[in-house]
């Protein structure tokens, strides 16, 4: 915390003379070149005022009492200044004046602002905020709270205290004490940054603590199922009805690209006949409210018919909680002899890579069906497989041969 420079000076307001010939004594407080001026509610005879010593020159009892009052006032101002320096990283002349005059100025604090934002998100739950969003901010709030207690032995801290070191210390705490991996840490910091942005937008802080700090997300290959694995998944008999249903729901997601929550909320009215006369899924992503329109292939259509009318609430498929789905998917993988760690989200990656992109569907169309607003997001989901590269190059070689060239692909 940087130290400030304080200067206190008394002077007479000589441009206004009272009826008794005296002038008001003003006090000027300067902190780091910033000034503020206010009246001491005292007055003195201009003829007896010493501008060099900021006091009256007389030796009378009244003069001595006035000088003592001014010294006491100067001492009180210094005391408030030092007290502010103890907890406020940005001491200003105005803050010192207000403290001396007894004006309580609210010092905006991190956890107070953070809690206000979490409460605001919670009040908007189901309106413009999802449960997942509220949980995300609540988890980050608790992590920062734990960090403050562990690192600084504090329950809160002024926002003006937040700087680059605070962020790097928080990152270190998340990685070491909280045992968060690289991406989990990055996501916590992204959430925390939103609170800092809110503080800046409200004028509580001037600078940007994240200005020289870059949040780094490590690209993770979540994996996908190959064409052969999808075939095994479709054809393997599974005795358990519950496990078989989980397999079917996962397959449906593999051939439609729907996220868990969007598939869970899918109802009969979301299945419509489109302009081409075929059945399409027409819905909106729960996460972003982006429109999602997906033509229904034979396999998901067969699954729709298989489970038609089985849901009492009108949903298309019987779906368990995401946690339960992922638990049962381990049993599905075991029954099918698939050694990959299958999670429900892998279905979207499988749709993007194996079902669509590998069969020549342009990435722009894949992006639209996944409900992405940017192609770069789709590129995280969709990979170019070696099989597709082989087919594309073979087609290129054939095309070049037909044009009379001798370039081919070696066997």
């Amino acid at each position: 915390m940087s130290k400030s420079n304080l200067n206190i000076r008394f002077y007479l307001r000589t441009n206004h003379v009272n009826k008794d010939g005296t002038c008001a004594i003003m006090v000027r407080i300067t902190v780091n070149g910033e000034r503020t001026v206010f009246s001491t509610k005292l007055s003195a005879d201009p003829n007896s005022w010493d501008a060099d010593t900021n006091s009256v020159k007389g030796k009378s009892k009244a003069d001595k009492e006035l000088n003592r009052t001014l010294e006491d006032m100067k001492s009180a101002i210094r005391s408030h200044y030092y007290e502010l320096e103890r907890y406020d990283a940005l001491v200003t002349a105005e803050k010192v004046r207000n403290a001396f005059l007894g004006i309580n100025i609210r010092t905006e604090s991190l956890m107070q602002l953070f809690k206000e934002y979490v409460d605001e998100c919670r009040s908007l739950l189901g309106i413009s905020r999802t449960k997942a969003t509220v949980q995300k901010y609540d988890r980050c709030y608790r992590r920062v709270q734990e960090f403050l207690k562990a690192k600084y032995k504090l329950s809160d801290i002024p926002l003006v205290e937040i700087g680059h070191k605070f962020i790097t210390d928080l990152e270190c705490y998340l990685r070491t004490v909280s045992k968060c991996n690289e991406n989990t840490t990055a996501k916590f910091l992204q959430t925390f940054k939103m609170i800092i942005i809110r503080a800046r937008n409200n004028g509580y802080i001037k600078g940007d603590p994240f200005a020289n700090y870059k949040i780094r997300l490590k690209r993770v290959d979540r994996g996908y199922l190959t064409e052969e694995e999808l075939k095994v998944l479709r054809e393997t008999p599974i005795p358990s009805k519950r496990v078989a249903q989980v397999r079917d729901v996962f397959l449906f997601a593999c051939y439609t690209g729907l996220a868990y929550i969007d598939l869970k909320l899918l109802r009969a009215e979301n299945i419509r006949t489109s302009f081409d006369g075929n059945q399409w899924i027409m819905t909106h992503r729960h996460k972003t409210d982006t429109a999602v329109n997906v033509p229904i292939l034979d396999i998901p259509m067969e699954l729709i018919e298989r489970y038609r009318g089985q849901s009492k609430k009108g949903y298309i498929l019987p779906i368990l909680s995401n946690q339960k789905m992922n638990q049962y998917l381990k049993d599905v993988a075991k029954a099918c002899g698939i050694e990959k760690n299958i999670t429900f989200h892998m279905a979207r990656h499988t749709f993007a890579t194996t079902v669509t992109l590998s069969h020549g569907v342009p990435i722009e169309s894949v992006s639209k069906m996944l409900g992405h607003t940017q192609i770069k997001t789709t590129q995280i989901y969709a990979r170019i497989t070696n099989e597709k590269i082989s087919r594309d190059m073979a087609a290129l070689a054939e095309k070049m041969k037909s044009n009379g060239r001798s370039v081919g692909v070696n066997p």
Side-chain angles (χ1 to χ4, degrees):
M1 190 161 57
S2 60
K3 291 290 181 181
S4 306
N5 294 317
L6 172 70
N7 183 270
I8 305 168
R9 186 173 182 83
F10 297 105
Y11 68 93
L12 293 187
R13 186 185 175 191
T14 55
N15 62 339
H16 181 81
V17 180
N18 298 324
K19 291 181 179 181
D20 60 359
T22 62
C23 295
I25 301 176
M26 309 296 291
V27 57
R28 180 195 298 133
I29 299 174
T30 307
V31 178
N32 289 338
E34 178 190 287
R35 296 178 176 182
T36 187
V37 176
F38 59 96
S39 174
T40 63
K41 306 299 182 183
L42 302 171
S43 59
D45 185 343
N47 296 319
S48 63
W49 181 257
D50 188 336
D52 293 329
T53 62
N54 289 196
S55 62
V56 291
K57 293 177 284 190
K59 300 295 182 180
S60 68
K61 183 178 179 180
D63 291 336
K64 291 180 180 179
E65 183 66 28
L66 178 59
N67 285 336
R68 276 197 298 269
T69 301
L70 292 176
E71 281 301 315
D72 289 345
M73 189 176 292
K74 182 181 291 188
S75 177
I77 292 172
R78 290 188 185 279
S79 178
H80 285 295
Y81 165 77
Y82 293 133
E83 181 65 22
L84 283 170
E85 274 214 325
R86 288 177 57 192
Y87 67 86
D88 198 329
L90 184 64
V91 181
T92 65
E94 186 179 3
K95 288 181 181 179
V96 177
R97 180 202 65 186
N98 290 336
F100 174 74
L101 296 176
I103 301 173
N104 293 322
I105 301 298
R106 177 182 173 186
T107 302
E108 298 295 340
S109 62
L110 172 64
M111 301 312 294
Q112 181 180 3
L113 179 67
F114 209 148
K115 186 177 185 304
E116 287 175 1
Y117 187 74
V118 174
D119 291 343
E120 179 184 307
C121 286
R122 191 171 285 112
S123 69
L124 293 170
L125 184 61
I127 301 173
S128 60
R129 295 289 187 274
T130 65
K131 184 178 179 181
T133 299
V134 175
Q135 290 175 339
K136 176 181 71 174
Y137 279 99
D138 189 55
R139 281 194 299 269
C140 186
Y141 174 87
R142 285 185 277 110
R143 282 282 191 268
V144 176
Q145 194 174 49
E146 292 164 4
F147 164 69
L148 280 175
K149 290 179 180 178
K151 180 70 177 179
Y152 301 105
K153 305 295 187 293
L154 295 172
S155 60
D156 206 347
I157 189 171
L159 280 164
V160 291
E161 295 275 5
I162 309 300
H164 184 270
K165 190 175 187 306
F166 184 94
I167 298 169
T168 56
D169 286 345
L170 176 58
E171 178 190 9
C172 182
Y173 176 85
L174 291 170
R175 292 301 304 273
T176 56
V177 179
S178 298
K179 306 296 182 184
C180 297
N181 63 32
E182 187 175 345
N183 279 0
T184 301
T185 298
K187 288 177 181 177
F188 273 128
L189 290 172
Q190 284 177 336
T191 305
F192 178 68
K193 187 176 181 180
M194 293 299 297
I195 302 302
I196 298 302
I197 291 173
R198 185 180 178 91
R200 289 186 64 200
N201 291 342
N202 287 338
Y204 301 150
I205 56 175
K206 294 181 180 179
D208 180 8
F210 280 89
N212 297 313
Y213 181 90
K214 186 171 183 178
I215 300 174
R216 301 183 184 277
L217 273 169
K218 183 179 179 181
R219 184 167 178 174
V220 177
D221 188 349
R222 296 181 181 272
Y224 58 90
L225 296 183
T226 64
E227 192 70 58
E228 292 74 19
E229 288 167 336
L230 274 176
K231 186 173 185 295
V232 171
L233 195 68
R234 292 195 307 268
E235 297 178 354
T236 300
I238 299 180
S240 169
K241 181 181 178 181
R242 177 59 58 87
V243 177
Q245 285 183 343
V246 170
R247 183 266 310 273
D248 291 345
V249 172
F250 180 76
L251 272 174
F252 190 93
C254 285
Y255 285 96
T256 60
L258 294 181
Y260 168 79
I261 188 62
D262 300 324
L263 183 48
K264 182 178 181 180
L265 299 175
L266 197 65
R267 305 177 72 90
E269 54 263 33
N270 298 124
I271 309 300
R272 304 173 193 170
T273 302
S274 190
F275 67 94
D276 57 1
N278 296 317
Q279 295 289 290
W280 287 47
I281 292 172
M282 295 184 177
T283 183
H284 283 76
R285 286 204 67 191
H286 186 265
K287 182 178 180 180
T288 61
D289 200 36
T290 306
V292 172
N293 300 305
V294 184
I296 306 176
L297 300 172
D298 290 342
I299 292 172
M301 184 59 74
E302 179 186 327
L303 292 171
I304 290 174
E305 294 302 325
R306 183 182 303 173
Y307 290 98
R308 187 180 295 277
Q310 292 191 24
S311 173
K312 296 179 181 179
K313 296 183 179 180
Y315 296 119
I316 295 295
L317 298 172
I319 301 182
L320 305 175
S321 68
N322 199 13
Q323 183 180 12
K324 285 291 184 182
M325 291 289 293
N326 285 323
Q327 286 177 1
Y328 279 116
L329 280 172
K330 296 183 185 298
D331 297 331
V332 171
K334 185 176 180 180
C336 297
I338 298 174
E339 296 183 357
K340 293 178 180 177
N341 179 31
I342 301 179
T343 62
F344 195 86
H345 197 67
M346 186 186 283
R348 273 170 74 79
H349 292 260
T350 301
F351 174 77
T353 301
T354 305
V355 175
T356 55
L357 195 64
S358 292
H359 287 90
V361 178
I363 194 168
E364 294 83 2
S365 297
V366 177
S367 182
K368 191 74 174 177
M369 288 187 286
L370 288 174
H372 292 159
T373 55
Q374 296 180 329
I375 293 293
K376 68 179 182 180
T377 307
T378 312
Q379 290 171 338
I380 298 173
Y381 284 76
R383 294 140 178 99
I384 304 297
T385 64
N386 289 335
E387 290 81 2
K388 186 177 189 307
I389 293 173
S390 177
R391 289 197 303 270
D392 290 344
M393 292 304 291
L396 174 62
E398 190 65 32
K399 183 177 181 180
M400 295 182 79
K401 282 181 182 179
S402 66
N403 289 335
R405 300 182 183 182
S406 59
V407 178
V409 177
N410 294 326

